Amino acid sequence: MEFSEYQKLSRQTAVYPAIGKGFVYPALGLAGESGEVVEKVKKLFRDQAGEVSNDNRQAIAKELGDVLWYLAQLSTELKIDLDEVASNNLEKLKSRLGRNCIQGSGDNR
């Protein structure tokens, strides 16, 4: 499935309260769901010495699906195509790799 296809199809389930601008709710949801992914990873180390079971993997995959949904809704609200986001990100990373600055910090390296 292409990102833009997911973006279009996921829009059918985009039912959320109108708070502020249309992008506010999905932006907040994206942050919350990302936190849930991180929380599950943290608990892997706290409770299971970092070992990932199939159950853990499936639970994280579900949370990643929620992250993807909110990302798609935020992108749609801002009229940003996810295919372009993915393509531009790969180009940026390939450029950094070619210039030997894949590591480090800062957006414009």
Side-chain angles (χ1 to χ4, degrees), residues 19-64:
I19 54 172
K21 301 284 186 179
F23 59 85
V24 173
Y25 183 81
L28 296 172
L30 178 58
E33 293 298 338
S34 298
E36 289 186 34
V37 171
V38 173
E39 186 71 14
K40 290 195 179 302
V41 171
K42 178 198 81 175
K43 289 179 179 178
L44 283 175
F45 286 89
R46 183 191 70 191
D47 301 336
Q48 298 166 2
E51 294 297 318
V52 182
S53 68
N54 280 336
D55 287 344
N56 299 136
R57 188 173 288 108
Q58 289 176 1
I60 292 171
K62 286 181 182 179
E63 297 301 337
L64 289 172

